[in-house]
């Protein structure tokens, strides 16, 4: 069984104890990345769907008692995820289950590939700055700027302080 320990520390000087530090991100007794998330699915009734956006959701995977820090989402127009691009995710400090939106639209190039501006922020590759145990990664995303009547495929992967999962089916 995996146990995660969280620590605070403080110093004591000639005037007494100082303030406690912030809680650490945790130390695990079993170093394992999260399992693979479920495949994302589209939210809402078909009658409420808009032609240029999609609101997707996925279930959080088993993370062995180590909090998930964030998810990465990628999108492709091919079911085998050929030419997939990561969808930039905004809202670095959302609460559990809180919705965020991609800050920059996914763009379709003439050759049929997806393009996301490279100068935009994306899901971080390392632990999220300011992450704390009560501030888990969100499990839904609204993506705007899509082409109407175009099939898009999405995958998700989870990351904790140990590593990251495989991409979802």
């Amino acid at each position: 069984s995996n146990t995660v320990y969280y620590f605070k520390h403080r110093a004591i000087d000639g005037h007494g104890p100082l303030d406690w530090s912030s809680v650490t991100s945790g130390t695990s007794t079993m170093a394992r990345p999260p399992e693979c998330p479920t495949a994302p699915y589209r939210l809402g009734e078909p009658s409420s769907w808009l032609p240029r956006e999609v609101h997707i959701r996925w279930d959080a995977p088993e993370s062995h008692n180590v909090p998930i820090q964030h998810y990465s989402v990628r999108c492709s127009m091919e079911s085998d995820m050929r030419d997939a691009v990561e969808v930039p995710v905004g809202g670095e400090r959302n609460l559990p289950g809180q919705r965020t939106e991609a800050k920059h639209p996914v763009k379709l190039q003439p050759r049929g590939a997806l393009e996301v501006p490279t100068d935009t922020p994306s899901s971080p590759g390392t632990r999220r700055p300011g992450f704390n145990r009560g501030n888990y990664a969100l499990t839904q995303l609204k993506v705007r700027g899509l082409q109407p009547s175009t099939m898009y495929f999405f995958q998700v992967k989870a990351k904790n302080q140990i590593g990251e999962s495989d991409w979802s089916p």
Side-chain angles (χ1 to χ4, degrees):
S1 173
N2 187 32
T3 304
V4 179
Y5 294 96
Y6 299 89
F7 300 94
K8 285 185 171 187
H9 63 276
R10 70 178 176 175
I12 299 175
D13 64 14
H15 301 288
L18 301 175
D19 291 338
W20 285 100
S21 68
S22 299
V23 177
T24 65
S25 60
T27 300
S28 173
T29 60
M30 181 191 320
R32 290 183 63 185
E35 300 298 322
C36 186
T38 60
Y41 54 93
R42 189 169 189 173
L43 289 177
E45 295 296 321
S47 61
S48 70
W49 292 350
L50 298 174
R52 294 187 177 274
E53 71 181 41
V54 63
H55 187 179
I56 59 172
R57 184 180 184 114
W58 55 92
D59 296 324
E62 172 61 47
S63 192
H64 313 288
N65 290 328
V66 179
I68 291 174
Q69 294 174 318
H70 77 275
Y71 293 95
S72 295
V73 177
R74 70 180 182 176
C75 178
S76 176
M77 292 171 49
E78 304 293 333
S79 61
D80 63 4
M81 299 307 287
R82 172 177 59 236
D83 298 324
V85 294
E86 190 168 329
V87 177
V89 178
E92 293 269 317
R93 292 182 156 221
N94 290 298
L95 299 175
Q98 186 178 356
R99 189 172 60 193
T100 188
E101 296 179 7
K103 290 185 174 182
H104 302 278
V106 175
K107 294 183 180 176
L108 182 65
Q109 291 183 325
R111 70 177 194 279
L114 292 168
E115 176 187 281
V116 175
T118 56
D119 62 339
T120 62
S122 185
S123 294
T126 58
R127 188 175 69 83
R128 193 180 331 174
F131 175 81
N132 66 55
R133 195 167 76 127
N135 204 14
Y136 298 96
L138 40 109
T139 57
Q140 56 184 313
L141 177 70
K142 186 178 284 186
V143 182
R144 291 185 169 155
L146 303 175
Q147 296 296 316
S149 303
T150 302
M151 179 76 72
Y152 290 92
F153 299 89
F154 292 89
Q155 287 183 312
V156 179
K157 69 177 170 181
K159 184 171 179 96
N160 64 19
Q161 72 183 45
I162 308 303
E164 57 188 30
S165 70
D166 290 332
W167 286 103
S168 65

